Each structure stands twice: as structure tokens, then as C-alpha cells.
Amino acid sequence: MSEESANRSGVDLAEMDELREEVDSAERRAVRTVEFGNRAMVIAGAVFVLLIGIVLPWMDGQTGWQVLLNGEEAIPRLFAGTAIGIGVLGSIATLITRRWALCWVCAIGGWFASVDGLLAIWSQQSMVGRDVAATGPEFGMIISAVAMVVLAVQWFRMAWSRP
């Protein structure tokens, strides 16, 4: 549209440039964000189950947060850290901000935490055979590991859903 024809039609070029910038800005925001839909409820439910698992006993009567703060074994302690860091805090931050990059962080971190949770369960089961006093993994650790697998699957489905 030429300047002359734009002026005749009553449209100011400054207004058109301003409108173009506004549209471009909206497009940039849309590219960086993600719409969760019903999946947000599934993720929020899995985070709630994970929180319940963290306050239940994990090993030798210690809860998940106690294992994180003063656990002696490295693998369950790492699982507690990744479950709280990625599973709870990362998921909440991603649900609030709706940032696409955080979806990928939660997806990759969730799978790391899931594998670490399975290793934590395995390490506790193998302790039972070597140590008479060992009780094995308790139900809080198992619930937390299952919740992390659900979260990892949901975050990967969310991250891959973008065309």
C-alpha cells in the first residue's frame, strides 16, 4: 500500500506499523507458550500424588524429604532431590508460566528422576539380601517413583505435541 493511497483511505502509516508490531509481539508470545488443556489436571494430580509419596516413609522409617536432607545412601537421596526439584517445583513453575522450554526441562528431568527412582527402589531391595536390618523400599518411595513416571510421560507428550 503506497503512502499516498494510505493517506487517502484515512489510515496512518504509524498506526499500521504499531499494529504490525503488536501482531508480531503476540506471535512471539504464542510461540514461547503452550496450552495444556486437560493434561494440566493430570499433571497437577500426579504432582499431588508425588507430594503424598514424599511425606510417606521411603526407607527405614524416613520420609522422602528426610532422605533428601540427611539420607546416607546416594541413590535414594538423588531421587528425592530430583523428585522434589523436577517433579514438584519444575512442574509447578511450568504450569504457572506455560513456557515451552520448561516443558522440555520437565520432560528430560522427569525421565532422569524416573530412572533414578527405579534405581533407588532396586538399591533398597538389594540391601535386604545383604543386611538383616534393612527393610527394603517402603510404599512412599514406590508411590513417588510411579508418580514420576506418570509426570515424565505427560511432560514428554506435552513437549512433543507441538508441530
Side-chain angles (χ1 to χ4, degrees), residues 19-93:
L19 181 61
R20 183 177 301 124
E21 182 59 38
E22 186 177 329
V23 169
D24 289 344
S25 173
E27 181 183 13
R28 285 190 297 272
R29 279 192 311 270
V31 166
R32 290 189 312 235
T33 60
V34 63
E35 290 296 325
F36 295 112
N38 292 336
R39 204 167 284 154
M41 291 302 295
V42 175
I43 291 170
V47 169
F48 182 71
V49 170
L50 180 60
L51 284 170
I52 290 172
I54 289 171
V55 298
L56 291 175
W58 275 30
M59 51 189 253
D60 300 328
Q62 290 184 330
T63 62
W65 62 270
Q66 289 171 331
V67 169
L68 175 65
L69 296 177
N70 56 8
E72 296 174 10
E73 294 184 38
I75 295 175
R77 190 172 188 183
L78 180 63
F79 174 55
T82 55
I84 293 170
I86 297 292
V88 176
L89 300 177
S91 293
I92 290 171

Side-chain angles (χ1 to χ4, degrees), residues 97-108:
T97 63
R98 299 181 327 154
R99 293 291 178 191
W100 192 256
L102 287 178
C103 277
W104 279 105
V105 169
C106 286
I108 294 168

Side-chain angles (χ1 to χ4, degrees), residues 85-135:
I86 297 292
V88 176
L89 300 177
S91 293
I92 290 171
T94 306
L95 286 172
I96 290 172
T97 63
R98 299 181 327 154
R99 293 291 178 191
W100 192 256
L102 287 178
C103 277
W104 279 105
V105 169
C106 286
I108 294 168
W111 278 111
F112 177 81
S114 297
V115 170
D116 192 34
L118 296 176
L119 287 173
I121 291 171
W122 173 75
S123 72
Q124 292 306 301
Q125 288 174 336
S126 64
M127 291 291 288
V128 173
R130 290 182 284 158
D131 187 5
V132 179
T135 60

